[in-house]
């Protein structure tokens, strides 16, 4: 039975009632109540998304010119990312300081200034309050008091940082610089895909997931499931656990890279050993593609890596599957609902053939993607499956007990890394 007689000091700050079961020490157990409780979701907004983390906002290319803006979110908080005439990017809450209405109503746009539609309070491109309608009243009557100072009122502003064209923001004044937060290996792997190239957006959409945001982040980091859940991967030999590859997990645990590369010699040995068939699992099928050109591509990065999934704590994902490149932004919308924003990208120097290949391979991912269709529903299977199990734990022992980089992908090390960073942030 759950222990509701925990000492008062054991109640993590921010929880309304004691947890159904304590969170065990170590990284191999995760209590299911963490996906179910409203007070946990509220705590996350304060300590994760508005705490000591860097959160992805948009691509620098989306706000290339002075006055360009992007309305986005930091967790569930509406945010504006804006380029000012000084060339710098600024981020602040998309919230009028008067009565709380959204300042900008469109997802993208261009503005000389922002004016709230409710009472016409106006702001410059850095989020400073510059105008209050009828501030001095009419005919000497009404208006704001003499003590009112516009300089003392503005939406909450955020620190910003740009990494290879990716715009991040933080509400914390003490979070380390973005380069330190990411670490050298993650920085290098971002640079591998984006470094020195001009990004172009070639598609975008939002996918609604029927599950807690952390279940999707677990899925992204779970290299163990990819060739088991996704029949397309193994059938067409895009990703098998016996392929050359590995995991990079940052020291904090919060950031990770999973990658695999073509290794013909290893593939031949794996076929001979028939590893997947020996496990008696759903791993292959007789399905074939009518147009196999969707699997063709070019080694544009020169290292033979056909799959790289990179994540930054808490909710950013950079994806390379063959030549399909995308940014994914994970946005919590409630305890059991998550929005997943996809932005497909290419580069200005893409050849027509490569651009066509990117667009064609875009069909591999997304809510109906040949590869990732299952990811859109499996989190919902977990969300539904753990109902009534708030006094139980998930087991994360595949590949050991730590959250360290490794040369195998038959491990849950990067999932354990997420929970290491999560508990450090939340105190749970």
């Amino acid at each position: 039975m759950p222990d509701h007689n925990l000492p008062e000091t054991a109640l993590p700050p921010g929880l309304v009632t004691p947890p159904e079961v304590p969170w065990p020490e170590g990284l191999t157990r995760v209590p299911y109540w963490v996906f179910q409780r409203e007070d946990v979701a509220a705590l996350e907004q304060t300590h994760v998304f508005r705490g000591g983390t860097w959160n992805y906002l948009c691509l620098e290319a989306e706000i290339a010119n002075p006055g360009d803006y992007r309305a986005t979110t930091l967790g569930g908080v509406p945010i504006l990312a804006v380029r000012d005439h000084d060339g710098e990017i600024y981020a602040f809450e998309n919230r009028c300081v008067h009565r709380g209405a959204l300042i900008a109503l469109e997802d993208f746009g261009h503005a000389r200034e922002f004016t709230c539609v409710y009472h016409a309070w106006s702001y410059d491109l850095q989020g400073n309050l510059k105008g209050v309608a009828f501030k001095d009243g009419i005919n000497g009557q009404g208006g704001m008091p003499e003590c009112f100072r516009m300089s003392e009122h503005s939406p909450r502003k955020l620190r910003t940082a740009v990494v290879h064209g990716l715009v991040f923001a933080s509400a914390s004044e003490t979070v380390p610089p973005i380069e330190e937060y990411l670490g050298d290996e993650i920085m290098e792997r971002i640079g591998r895909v984006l470094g020195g190239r001009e990004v172009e957006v070639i598609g975008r959409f939002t996918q609604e997931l029927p599950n807690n945001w952390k279940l999707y982040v677990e899925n992204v980091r779970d290299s163990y499931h990819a060739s088991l859940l996704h029949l397309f991967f193994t059938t067409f030999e895009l990703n098998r656990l016996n392929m050359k590859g590995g995991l990079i997990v940052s020291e904090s645990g919060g950031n990770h890279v999973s990658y695999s590369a073509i290794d013909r010699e290893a593939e031949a040995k794996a076929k001979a050993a028939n590893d997947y068939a020996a496990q008696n699992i759903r791993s292959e099928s007789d399905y074939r593609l009518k147009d196999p050109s969707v699997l063709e591509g070019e080694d544009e990065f020169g290292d033979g890596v056909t799959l790289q999934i990179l994540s930054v704590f808490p909710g950013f994902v950079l994806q390379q599957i063959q030549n399909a490149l995308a940014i994914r932004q994970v946005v919590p919308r409630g305890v059991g609902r998550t929005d997943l924003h996809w932005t497909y990208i290419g580069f200005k120097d893409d050849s027509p053939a490569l651009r066509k290949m990117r667009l064609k391979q875009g069909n591999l991912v997304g809510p109906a993607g040949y590869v990732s269709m299952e990811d859109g529903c499996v989190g919902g299977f977990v969300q539904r499956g753990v109902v009534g199990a708030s006094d139980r734990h998930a087991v994360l022992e595949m590949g050991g007990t730590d959250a360290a980089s490794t040369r195998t992908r038959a491990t849950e090390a990067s999932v354990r890394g997420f929970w290491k960073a999560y508990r450090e942030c939340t105190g749970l």
Side-chain angles (χ1 to χ4, degrees):
M1 292 292 292
D3 182 2
H4 291 292
N5 297 312
L6 295 171
E8 188 173 343
T9 56
L11 181 63
L15 292 195
V16 176
T17 59
E20 286 76 353
V21 289
W23 200 319
E25 292 300 317
L27 303 175
T28 64
R29 297 292 184 273
V30 176
Y32 289 129
W33 53 257
V34 78
F35 304 115
Q36 301 171 322
R37 293 177 53 139
E38 296 283 355
D39 55 356
V40 169
L43 182 149
E44 290 167 353
Q45 285 298 320
T46 301
H47 294 285
V48 176
F49 296 101
R50 295 198 295 272
T53 61
W54 285 100
N55 295 261
Y56 172 77
L57 295 185
C58 64
L59 288 162
E60 192 175 20
E62 295 177 288
I63 48 174
N65 302 306
D68 289 351
Y69 71 86
R70 174 79 161 95
T72 181
T73 60
L74 189 151
V77 178
I79 299 293
L80 283 176
V82 188
R83 190 180 293 274
D84 196 5
H85 292 281
D86 62 3
E88 297 296 318
I89 293 174
Y90 296 87
F92 47 91
E93 287 187 355
N94 186 8
R95 173 186 56 81
C96 181
V97 297
H98 177 216
R99 299 273 286 279
L102 292 173
I103 298 171
L105 303 179
E106 302 295 331
D107 290 340
F108 300 90
H110 182 87
R112 291 193 303 176
E113 64 177 12
F114 297 98
T115 301
C116 176
V117 298
Y118 199 176
H119 298 94
W121 288 34
S122 60
Y123 304 84
D124 66 17
L125 299 179
Q126 297 184 23
N128 300 306
L129 179 63
K130 289 298 182 181
V132 173
F134 300 114
K135 173 177 172 291
D136 298 322
I138 299 177
N139 297 326
Q141 294 183 325
M144 302 298 286
E146 289 187 10
C147 63
F148 179 79
R149 300 288 182 269
M150 288 193 292
S151 61
E152 297 174 358
H153 300 271
S154 65
R156 186 181 292 118
K157 299 181 180 182
L158 309 173
R159 292 170 61 188
T160 61
V162 179
V163 177
H164 294 300
L166 305 170
V167 181
F168 289 87
S170 179
S172 169
E173 293 298 324
T174 59
V175 66
I178 188 70
E179 296 81 5
E180 181 181 340
Y181 182 85
L182 295 173
D184 291 341
E185 290 183 296
I186 305 300
M187 284 285 293
E188 180 182 344
R189 285 288 176 154
I190 294 175
R192 171 187 169 272
V193 177
L194 301 176
R197 306 180 74 178
E198 290 188 74
V199 169
E200 285 188 336
V201 175
I202 60 176
R204 57 166 61 90
F205 59 86
T206 296
Q207 178 181 2
E208 185 174 327
L209 303 175
N211 52 265
N212 189 273
W213 70 276
K214 299 184 290 299
L215 289 171
Y216 184 78
V217 175
E218 276 196 329
N219 176 274
V220 164
R221 292 164 168 265
D222 182 358
S223 56
Y224 171 46
H225 88 277
S227 60
L228 303 174
L229 176 66
H230 304 308
L231 191 59
F232 193 93
F233 264 153
T234 48
T235 297
F236 299 105
E237 299 179 358
L238 293 179
N239 183 15
R240 290 172 176 250
L241 290 174
N242 42 32
M243 292 173 67
K244 180 182 177 182
L247 290 180
I248 299 170
V249 184
S250 66
E251 184 176 351
S252 69
N255 312 318
H256 106 289
V257 179
S258 173
Y259 64 95
S260 61
I262 296 295
D263 185 337
R264 298 304 180 191
E265 184 178 346
E267 284 181 22
K269 290 180 180 178
K271 277 190 175 182
N274 210 1
D275 292 338
Y276 277 79
Q279 299 292 320
N280 193 29
I281 54 179
R282 175 183 175 270
S283 61
E284 297 183 17
S285 76
D286 294 327
Y287 287 108
R288 294 295 177 262
L289 293 170
K290 186 173 183 179
D291 179 9
S293 67
V294 71
L295 300 179
E296 297 172 359
E298 61 181 72
D299 183 10
E300 63 179 301
F301 305 111
D303 54 11
V305 172
T306 55
L307 182 144
Q308 176 180 289
I309 303 296
L310 180 152
S311 71
V312 175
F313 185 85
F316 168 82
V317 182
L318 171 62
Q319 159 219 302
Q320 175 222 337
I321 300 177
Q322 300 283 81
N323 299 110
L325 309 178
I327 307 297
R328 309 178 200 171
Q329 182 187 21
V330 183
V331 180
R333 291 300 189 192
V335 170
R337 179 188 162 205
T338 301
D339 281 354
L340 181 59
H341 299 308
W342 296 75
T343 305
Y344 290 94
I345 61 172
F347 301 106
K348 287 191 176 180
D349 60 0
D350 283 348
S351 67
L354 180 54
R355 179 58 61 86
K356 182 178 180 180
M357 182 55 63
R358 294 199 200 285
L359 293 170
K360 187 179 292 187
Q361 290 180 352
N363 291 294
L364 297 175
V365 294
Y370 298 144
V371 171
S372 64
M373 176 172 58
E374 298 91 346
D375 290 329
C377 57
V378 73
F381 296 164
V382 178
Q383 193 76 39
R384 290 157 56 190
V386 300
V387 171
S390 58
D391 59 345
R392 297 291 187 265
H393 301 88
V395 178
L396 300 176
E397 294 184 5
M398 179 61 65
T401 62
D402 62 8
S405 300
T406 175
R407 299 297 294 180
T408 180
R409 289 172 298 127
T411 178
E412 292 166 318
S414 49
V415 182
R416 292 190 290 268
F418 169 77
W419 291 111
K420 176 183 176 182
Y422 178 88
R423 296 190 70 184
E424 178 67 25
C425 267
T426 61
L428 292 176

